[in-house]
Amino acid sequence: MQSANVLLKRIVRSSVLPFAAQHGIKKDLFPLSRTLSLSLCLKQDNSCNPSEKLDLDAWKKVMRSGLQEEVSETVSESKELSALAAAREILEMWRLAGRAVPENISEEQLKTFMECPSKSAKKKYLKYLHLKELYKKNDKRKVEEKRERRLETKEQASETHETKKTSFVCLWASAMDRAYNWRVAQSMVFGQPLVFDMSYEKDMSFREVANTVRQLVLSESCNRRSVDPFHIHFCNFKDDSLYHKEFIKHYKEAWSKLLITVTDQCYTEVFPKEKLIYLTADSPRVMKTFDHDKIYIVGSMVDKSIKTGVSLARAKRLGLETAALPLEKYLLWNTGAKNLTLDQMMHILLTLKDTGDWKKALEFVPKRKYCGFVNKPVHELKKTLNLINTLKLGKRQEEVLKQFAKNYSKKLTQK
Amino acid sequence: VQPPEKPLQAEEWNKLRESFRSPEIFEEVMFNNMVRCNSPIDVAKSLLTHVAKSNGDVTYNLLVKYLALCVQQGQTSEIRDVYDIMKIRFKILESGAYNLLIKGLSNSDQWRMALTLLEEVKKIMIPSRTNYESCIKAASRHQEMNLAFELYHEMLAKDLVPTLDVLQAFFDFCRGMKGAELQKELFGILLYLRDNQIYPHKTFMRSIKLWFESIPGENWRTRLTNIKDSGLCPVCNHQLEDSDLTEAEYNNLRERIIKDVIHGTDTFRKTSPQEFEAFQKFVENRLPFDIVIDGLNVSHLKSRKMQCENLFDAVNCLAKENARLLVLGRKHMLANSSHWKREIMKEMQNKADFFFAENISEDDAFLLYATLQSGKHCKFVTRDFLRDHKACLSDSKTRHLFRKWQRGHQIALIYCVKSKKVFLSVFIQQPALRYDCVVQTTGDTWHIPYKDTFDEKYSYQVPRKWLCIQQK
């Protein structure tokens, strides 16, 4: 009886299931007692015994057939594979195996791929290219969808034949640009300087430099759009450095028209030393207020492998004052490093300059990095904590302990 | 989805596929599940046949997955068939397929084929260490020890780190074999363990033990034992190597510490040139010290206590027998605060030399410098594992030297309460090891430290259990 049951179950699984699933019946709920439908299937199953008819190795025949001509070709080709072509072949195979590999890869990228020092570095680089490709593809698709939608609305609009009347010529973008530029030009004469220290190139990898420049571009644009912009200085900036090349890539011919000061001089040569403050997360000093007479320096560095003390060392060497943002004081820090991106720094400094409100400024710290704002300054919290502790333990006990400690040290010295 | 238990017809596969949530990846998911459930190979074949007939082709991806199933079940002829098909279809294969092929074939009677595949892999990339592992194991399983050792040396030449499994396999398969050449090779493996400060685990140790016992006509006697703190082996009364570095090693380490740890990429990161120079002068005028103390580290031993008292106790505890002490600290310790009382600090300065670094300087770097400068007898006191400083050293050989030196010269202090009545607490010293904890030999004896459990991960813990081997 039992064996019959097992057999039944097997049949149910192998042949009825798909049928059942198609009709939305869940596997677990399938009632075994429904003999009617079961017997029906049994009959079907018996009518065609699969193992008799199925040729299990048929796939091999398919795979082997019709490829003989190609084989002779590949043999002759494989002899003259250059290193690049070989790398391309390997990539193709990885792609077929379902790894994160880009579909198209340029010669230059292939060379960087081959120069990667280790297997994991290669894998990482390919994943990066793969994701980049994916994002690009998605963006392209979205753009196309948008265009189609616009065309549709246009057609509808043309049917209605309506024209709008306004007193302005529609030239918003360029008018805004002119207004912004006017403001930035003013800041170049009267504005507070803000220095970006561009001397970190050899501390960074190529990709870190690229990220740095990207962040600087974002910072510059948000400065340009602000009410009261900084006068941005790029100090220690060497022509035909990697920074320079990346900037040209981003700005193209607008690079020479940017309303910022770019110099290969050090900030100590441009400004009086006592006015400079180097902002670094490693600084032991915490910034209390934003000083409008000081010149703040931000290190243009992205360090993916947290290099502690690099910018602090630079400030120490030149004997400059340093400061860190009071993140601990205002935020309940959660995870992540205390170093922020350059554009976040820019947002924070601009807000401080305009309002002097730390809470408002620190809104620009990424939300994932902190749990929330501290309502009171931390030292006040600590005071109340201490108060609670002393109340709990009782003040006397603490005194006894202190007394004992003193006596003990006396005893030891007498020895 | 549960894979079916027996081969299905094309229509049945179609039905299953349609009922699946996303039919595009149905085959992949199905194959993954087959590998997971270890389904019969015929079921997989029937799916492949279905795919081949409907698409006219089977993708590489699916072939690899099918291969994984074959390898899992040791279906040698199928593995070969898949390899043949792959060779026809594709110019080269990628590492995933090669890994599977080598693994599958090395476990079968066609293991020589795995060797030819290894040669093929070499043409396009560096084989992984598991590739070598499979081949070496296969060769030694068939008593081709020369071949196995050849592969082993090739692997080392490519900077691959052999798995402990491979090393163990050598000892397992050489058991009872005779030959001077062979013995030399196995001793070579033991010396490899020594050079890289690797400790075998218990089962590996047992293999080594059995091999020694099995060498015909050599009369090796083996015992498990614990080594005393003095470094004396209780079984054979042999004194283990001491933990001192040689003169050349010592000088090398000292130079590298100054170059990599203190200066690094920028002297300003850890100190400043002026400060370091001042420290150098300070140390030179007072050399040599017997014990160098990391003041701030010691002062945090017991958090309930005032920090300067912690330090005071430690200094008192160590200041016996006219030992010359140096305490390193930071300038903030001098400011009269709730934790650092001026009187106590003054008193301490009578008993020991003090050097106060800037508050933003790294005092650990000074600690290392002062200890190394004082000479081999000098010890240092800190609970810090100094991993970050070890990481600054640029090559693994110097890092090993550092570890060895650290084991022999670091004293850790532990606070403990002595009697229950009074809160009297004293420091207990955890002594620096006097003997060196590595595989070592004198020719007719071997001493091999081993890990008791399979994965003891802590790098600072050294095994206390040893295998003592001596020739009668």
Side-chain angles (χ1 to χ4, degrees), chain B residues 188-208:
Chain B
I189 292 179
L190 290 177
L191 293 177
Y192 176 84
L193 296 182
R194 175 191 168 86
D195 289 341
N196 294 288
Q197 302 192 16
I198 300 169
Y199 307 117
H201 48 80
K202 213 172 186 175
T203 50
F204 186 6
M205 178 277 294
R206 219 165 272 146
S207 300
I208 297 173

mmCIF file of all heavy atoms in Angstrom, chain B residues 188-208:
data_model
loop_
_atom_site.group_PDB
_atom_site.id
_atom_site.type_symbol
_atom_site.label_atom_id
_atom_site.label_comp_id
_atom_site.label_asym_id
_atom_site.label_seq_id
_atom_site.Cartn_x
_atom_site.Cartn_y
_atom_site.Cartn_z
ATOM 1 N N GLY B 188 61.352 19.620 3.355
ATOM 2 C CA GLY B 188 61.202 20.930 2.720
ATOM 3 C C GLY B 188 59.845 21.542 3.041
ATOM 4 O O GLY B 188 59.729 22.749 3.283
ATOM 5 N N ILE B 189 58.808 20.716 3.042
ATOM 6 C CA ILE B 189 57.466 21.227 3.377
ATOM 7 C C ILE B 189 57.450 21.723 4.823
ATOM 8 O O ILE B 189 56.897 22.775 5.134
ATOM 9 C CB ILE B 189 56.405 20.133 3.159
ATOM 10 C CG1 ILE B 189 56.289 19.832 1.671
ATOM 11 C CG2 ILE B 189 55.069 20.572 3.721
ATOM 12 C CD1 ILE B 189 55.309 18.759 1.341
ATOM 13 N N LEU B 190 58.084 20.944 5.704
ATOM 14 C CA LEU B 190 58.132 21.370 7.110
ATOM 15 C C LEU B 190 58.863 22.708 7.236
ATOM 16 O O LEU B 190 58.471 23.571 8.015
ATOM 17 C CB LEU B 190 58.820 20.303 7.961
ATOM 18 C CG LEU B 190 58.028 19.015 8.149
ATOM 19 C CD1 LEU B 190 58.833 18.006 8.941
ATOM 20 C CD2 LEU B 190 56.707 19.284 8.856
ATOM 21 N N LEU B 191 59.912 22.863 6.439
ATOM 22 C CA LEU B 191 60.642 24.136 6.498
ATOM 23 C C LEU B 191 59.815 25.268 5.889
ATOM 24 O O LEU B 191 59.940 26.421 6.290
ATOM 25 C CB LEU B 191 61.984 24.002 5.777
ATOM 26 C CG LEU B 191 62.972 23.062 6.483
ATOM 27 C CD1 LEU B 191 64.250 22.927 5.685
ATOM 28 C CD2 LEU B 191 63.270 23.553 7.893
ATOM 29 N N TYR B 192 58.966 24.923 4.924
ATOM 30 C CA TYR B 192 58.045 25.923 4.378
ATOM 31 C C TYR B 192 57.111 26.424 5.485
ATOM 32 O O TYR B 192 56.856 27.628 5.603
ATOM 33 C CB TYR B 192 57.240 25.313 3.236
ATOM 34 C CG TYR B 192 56.190 26.229 2.654
ATOM 35 C CD1 TYR B 192 56.520 27.166 1.690
ATOM 36 C CD2 TYR B 192 54.861 26.169 3.080
ATOM 37 C CE1 TYR B 192 55.574 28.011 1.157
ATOM 38 C CE2 TYR B 192 53.909 27.008 2.555
ATOM 39 C CZ TYR B 192 54.270 27.931 1.598
ATOM 40 O OH TYR B 192 53.326 28.777 1.077
ATOM 41 N N LEU B 193 56.619 25.495 6.298
ATOM 42 C CA LEU B 193 55.781 25.881 7.441
ATOM 43 C C LEU B 193 56.558 26.814 8.366
ATOM 44 O O LEU B 193 56.038 27.790 8.866
ATOM 45 C CB LEU B 193 55.335 24.651 8.230
ATOM 46 C CG LEU B 193 54.428 23.634 7.536
ATOM 47 C CD1 LEU B 193 54.075 22.527 8.507
ATOM 48 C CD2 LEU B 193 53.156 24.308 7.043
ATOM 49 N N ARG B 194 57.833 26.480 8.577
ATOM 50 C CA ARG B 194 58.671 27.285 9.451
ATOM 51 C C ARG B 194 58.843 28.701 8.898
ATOM 52 O O ARG B 194 58.616 29.684 9.584
ATOM 53 C CB ARG B 194 60.037 26.613 9.599
ATOM 54 C CG ARG B 194 61.031 27.427 10.393
ATOM 55 C CD ARG B 194 62.433 26.836 10.261
ATOM 56 N NE ARG B 194 63.415 27.764 10.789
ATOM 57 C CZ ARG B 194 63.758 27.827 12.066
ATOM 58 N NH1 ARG B 194 63.188 27.024 12.938
ATOM 59 N NH2 ARG B 194 64.650 28.701 12.485
ATOM 60 N N ASP B 195 59.189 28.774 7.623
ATOM 61 C CA ASP B 195 59.472 30.081 7.029
ATOM 62 C C ASP B 195 58.259 30.994 7.036
ATOM 63 O O ASP B 195 58.381 32.207 7.124
ATOM 64 C CB ASP B 195 59.962 29.917 5.588
ATOM 65 C CG ASP B 195 61.365 29.327 5.570
ATOM 66 O OD1 ASP B 195 62.039 29.393 6.610
ATOM 67 O OD2 ASP B 195 61.761 28.795 4.520
ATOM 68 N N ASN B 196 57.092 30.400 6.882
ATOM 69 C CA ASN B 196 55.901 31.233 6.795
ATOM 70 C C ASN B 196 55.108 31.283 8.088
ATOM 71 O O ASN B 196 53.977 31.755 8.116
ATOM 72 C CB ASN B 196 55.017 30.744 5.655
ATOM 73 C CG ASN B 196 55.693 30.954 4.322
ATOM 74 O OD1 ASN B 196 55.817 32.067 3.849
ATOM 75 N ND2 ASN B 196 56.195 29.876 3.739
ATOM 76 N N GLN B 197 55.699 30.765 9.144
ATOM 77 C CA GLN B 197 55.061 30.748 10.461
ATOM 78 C C GLN B 197 53.649 30.202 10.396
ATOM 79 O O GLN B 197 52.687 30.803 10.890
ATOM 80 C CB GLN B 197 55.074 32.147 11.087
ATOM 81 C CG GLN B 197 56.488 32.684 11.220
ATOM 82 C CD GLN B 197 56.569 33.922 12.081
ATOM 83 O OE1 GLN B 197 55.650 34.236 12.824
ATOM 84 N NE2 GLN B 197 57.682 34.618 12.005
ATOM 85 N N ILE B 198 53.522 29.054 9.722
ATOM 86 C CA ILE B 198 52.224 28.385 9.651
ATOM 87 C C ILE B 198 52.232 27.254 10.681
ATOM 88 O O ILE B 198 53.226 26.544 10.822
ATOM 89 C CB ILE B 198 52.008 27.788 8.247
ATOM 90 C CG1 ILE B 198 52.046 28.889 7.196
ATOM 91 C CG2 ILE B 198 50.692 27.027 8.177
ATOM 92 C CD1 ILE B 198 52.113 28.374 5.783
ATOM 93 N N TYR B 199 51.113 27.138 11.394
ATOM 94 C CA TYR B 199 51.002 26.053 12.351
ATOM 95 C C TYR B 199 50.010 25.031 11.819
ATOM 96 O O TYR B 199 48.879 25.382 11.478
ATOM 97 C CB TYR B 199 50.525 26.579 13.703
ATOM 98 C CG TYR B 199 51.359 27.726 14.216
ATOM 99 C CD1 TYR B 199 50.806 28.987 14.409
ATOM 100 C CD2 TYR B 199 52.710 27.541 14.472
ATOM 101 C CE1 TYR B 199 51.582 30.034 14.860
ATOM 102 C CE2 TYR B 199 53.488 28.595 14.923
ATOM 103 C CZ TYR B 199 52.922 29.838 15.116
ATOM 104 O OH TYR B 199 53.694 30.867 15.555
ATOM 105 N N PRO B 200 50.409 23.759 11.728
ATOM 106 C CA PRO B 200 49.463 22.746 11.254
ATOM 107 C C PRO B 200 48.349 22.531 12.278
ATOM 108 O O PRO B 200 48.560 22.757 13.467
ATOM 109 C CB PRO B 200 50.332 21.495 11.116
ATOM 110 C CG PRO B 200 51.516 21.732 11.980
ATOM 111 C CD PRO B 200 51.735 23.201 12.010
ATOM 112 N N HIS B 201 47.184 22.124 11.806
ATOM 113 C CA HIS B 201 46.117 21.788 12.753
ATOM 114 C C HIS B 201 46.266 20.325 13.178
ATOM 115 O O HIS B 201 47.152 19.612 12.708
ATOM 116 C CB HIS B 201 44.742 22.076 12.159
ATOM 117 C CG HIS B 201 44.576 21.543 10.779
ATOM 118 N ND1 HIS B 201 44.299 20.234 10.525
ATOM 119 C CD2 HIS B 201 44.688 22.147 9.571
ATOM 120 C CE1 HIS B 201 44.235 20.044 9.227
ATOM 121 N NE2 HIS B 201 44.466 21.186 8.615
ATOM 122 N N LYS B 202 45.372 19.888 14.036
ATOM 123 C CA LYS B 202 45.552 18.601 14.700
ATOM 124 C C LYS B 202 45.636 17.432 13.717
ATOM 125 O O LYS B 202 46.514 16.577 13.828
ATOM 126 C CB LYS B 202 44.394 18.384 15.669
ATOM 127 C CG LYS B 202 44.788 17.623 16.898
ATOM 128 C CD LYS B 202 43.642 17.639 17.877
ATOM 129 C CE LYS B 202 44.025 17.016 19.202
ATOM 130 N NZ LYS B 202 42.928 17.157 20.169
ATOM 131 N N THR B 203 44.733 17.394 12.740
ATOM 132 C CA THR B 203 44.735 16.247 11.828
ATOM 133 C C THR B 203 45.975 16.259 10.947
ATOM 134 O O THR B 203 46.532 15.207 10.643
ATOM 135 C CB THR B 203 43.472 16.229 10.944
ATOM 136 O OG1 THR B 203 43.329 17.522 10.372
ATOM 137 C CG2 THR B 203 42.256 15.872 11.732
ATOM 138 N N PHE B 204 46.392 17.428 10.563
ATOM 139 C CA PHE B 204 47.612 17.564 9.770
ATOM 140 C C PHE B 204 48.801 17.074 10.599
ATOM 141 O O PHE B 204 49.644 16.296 10.132
ATOM 142 C CB PHE B 204 47.767 19.030 9.359
ATOM 143 C CG PHE B 204 48.902 19.308 8.413
ATOM 144 C CD1 PHE B 204 49.660 18.295 7.856
ATOM 145 C CD2 PHE B 204 49.216 20.620 8.060
ATOM 146 C CE1 PHE B 204 50.694 18.558 6.984
ATOM 147 C CE2 PHE B 204 50.250 20.897 7.193
ATOM 148 C CZ PHE B 204 51.000 19.859 6.667
ATOM 149 N N MET B 205 48.820 17.499 11.864
ATOM 150 C CA MET B 205 49.897 17.084 12.753
ATOM 151 C C MET B 205 49.940 15.564 12.830
ATOM 152 O O MET B 205 51.007 14.951 12.795
ATOM 153 C CB MET B 205 49.658 17.712 14.128
ATOM 154 C CG MET B 205 50.645 17.374 15.206
ATOM 155 S SD MET B 205 50.293 15.816 16.023
ATOM 156 C CE MET B 205 48.744 16.171 16.828
ATOM 157 N N ARG B 206 48.769 14.937 12.897
ATOM 158 C CA ARG B 206 48.710 13.479 12.991
ATOM 159 C C ARG B 206 49.316 12.832 11.748
ATOM 160 O O ARG B 206 50.021 11.829 11.838
ATOM 161 C CB ARG B 206 47.252 13.051 13.176
ATOM 162 C CG ARG B 206 47.118 11.912 14.149
ATOM 163 C CD ARG B 206 45.689 11.741 14.609
ATOM 164 N NE ARG B 206 45.374 12.546 15.774
ATOM 165 C CZ ARG B 206 44.175 13.094 15.999
ATOM 166 N NH1 ARG B 206 43.212 12.957 15.115
ATOM 167 N NH2 ARG B 206 43.965 13.781 17.097
ATOM 168 N N SER B 207 49.043 13.442 10.585
ATOM 169 C CA SER B 207 49.626 12.905 9.356
ATOM 170 C C SER B 207 51.145 12.976 9.403
ATOM 171 O O SER B 207 51.834 12.041 8.989
ATOM 172 C CB SER B 207 49.128 13.693 8.142
ATOM 173 O OG SER B 207 47.749 13.613 8.047
ATOM 174 N N ILE B 208 51.651 14.112 9.899
ATOM 175 C CA ILE B 208 53.107 14.270 9.996
ATOM 176 C C ILE B 208 53.676 13.196 10.929
ATOM 177 O O ILE B 208 54.659 12.531 10.626
ATOM 178 C CB ILE B 208 53.455 15.673 10.531
ATOM 179 C CG1 ILE B 208 52.970 16.747 9.561
ATOM 180 C CG2 ILE B 208 54.958 15.799 10.753
ATOM 181 C CD1 ILE B 208 53.125 18.163 10.076
#
